Amino acid sequence: MKLKDKKAIVTGGTRGIGKAIVYELASEGCNVVFTFHSSHEAAKVIEADAEKFGVKILSIKADASSFKDAEKTVSFALENLGGLDILVNNAGINKDNLLLRMSEDDFDAVINANLKGVFNYTKASIKQMMNQRSGKIINISSVVALSGNAGQANYVASKAGIIGFTKAAAKEFASRNITVNAIAPGFITTDMTDRLNEKQKEAMLSLIPMKRIGLPSEVAKTVTFLASEDSSYITGEVISVNGGIYM
């Protein structure tokens, strides 16, 4: 087990990529606290799976855009897990629309949840990591942060901001043995892709050299790599997990 007895926080852990990350970390021996925004029942189902992994999996309701909630989550993790080695900033929302039709509220909501959320949890966690002189921070960005995408100006801006934030934080914390990296998933099987019709899926597949949509577990395994000592000399990087759609 690459992460035996490690302690992690995963934001947005009840579905899709976040849920896969929680399970992947747990399968590698890591104790996990994950946040949820509204899916209390889904969170309890995931918590109940802790027994089969032989680790702690605990949930806490939190709003990614709230710094107070981030502080509350970190305190909860320190109290219940006894430390914090890994932070995975995964929580995010989308409110897509063409720029001419996009409301100010929808722009602000996406920036606050996706980008400010990364700031909130990093700031709330970093003192603990600096004091112990070790830590792994992994931020989930997106392929569209690199390529752009029509109808997603708010989402693209938030995910591109995460990449810039990752590089700045990596430079600030490198001397304390804290690595900060980002993952940019491409089209991954989630609730979002499940809502697409067949024509939309065919158009998507035509853009992907590997001719398939990625799995949440493929992103989660990349998280494990970045959270483990296998990546001990990697920081400030963006790893694309996208089947070749952007190269």
Side-chain angles (χ1 to χ4, degrees):
M1 290 187 177
K2 291 184 177 182
L3 303 174
K4 185 171 175 56
D5 298 327
K6 296 293 186 181
K7 294 97 175 175
I9 289 174
V10 178
T11 66
T14 56
R15 58 192 176 89
I17 292 172
K19 182 179 178 180
I21 291 169
V22 171
Y23 283 147
E24 170 66 18
L25 295 179
S27 73
E28 291 289 349
C30 188
N31 299 292
V32 183
V33 164
F34 70 92
T35 70
F36 68 94
H37 188 259
S38 57
S39 307
H40 187 264
E41 289 184 5
K44 290 302 174 187
V45 170
I46 295 169
E47 279 188 338
D49 286 333
E51 189 175 341
K52 70 182 180 184
F53 294 112
V55 299
K56 288 183 179 180
I57 302 178
L58 303 171
S59 68
I60 182 169
K61 183 173 183 178
D63 180 350
S65 66
S66 166
F67 181 65
K68 286 186 178 179
D69 279 10
E71 289 185 308
K72 178 183 72 175
T73 301
V74 171
S75 294
F76 178 81
L78 293 176
E79 181 181 342
N80 288 277
L81 303 184
L84 179 60
D85 305 295
I86 301 156
L87 169 65
V88 184
N89 284 307
N90 167 76
I93 63 171
N94 67 297
K95 291 180 178 289
D96 299 347
N97 213 332
L98 295 173
L99 191 57
L100 285 171
R101 298 174 184 168
M102 185 177 293
S103 70
E104 183 180 357
D105 286 345
D106 283 352
F107 186 88
D108 289 347
V110 172
I111 294 295
N112 286 335
N114 298 5
L115 179 55
K116 186 170 181 284
V118 172
F119 163 82
N120 288 340
Y121 278 85
T122 302
K123 184 172 175 63
S125 302
I126 200 62
K127 284 185 180 179
Q128 173 68 23
M129 292 184 175
M130 289 180 75
N131 287 338
Q132 66 198 24
R133 298 189 71 86
S134 66
K136 302 276 191 173
I137 300 174
I138 300 137
N139 301 322
I140 306 301
S141 179
S142 171
V143 64
V144 299
L146 305 171
S147 66
N149 199 35
Q152 288 192 307
N154 49 3
Y155 185 80
V156 172
S158 70
K159 293 298 187 177
I162 287 172
I163 290 176
F165 181 93
T166 296
K167 292 177 180 293
K171 288 191 173 183
E172 286 193 31
F173 306 136
S175 65
R176 295 298 184 99
N177 194 37
I178 299 166
T179 63
V180 189
N181 292 289
I183 297 172
F187 293 114
I188 305 296
T189 302
T190 62
D191 294 347
M192 203 181 302
T193 56
D194 287 344
R195 292 196 294 266
L196 300 176
N197 60 41
E198 288 306 310
K199 187 175 181 180
Q200 289 171 319
K201 288 180 180 179
E202 286 176 13
M204 186 187 298
L205 288 172
S206 70
L207 302 173
I208 305 171
M210 291 188 73
K211 299 303 177 189
R212 69 175 179 86
I213 297 174
L215 301 173
S217 61
E218 291 174 309
V219 179
K221 288 182 184 300
T222 309
V223 170
T224 290
F225 167 69
L226 290 174
S228 75
E229 287 308 303
D230 290 347
S231 64
S232 58
Y233 201 53
I234 299 174
T235 195
E237 291 298 323
V238 182
I239 298 181
S240 294
V241 183
N242 61 31
I245 194 171
Y246 183 86
M247 62 172 81

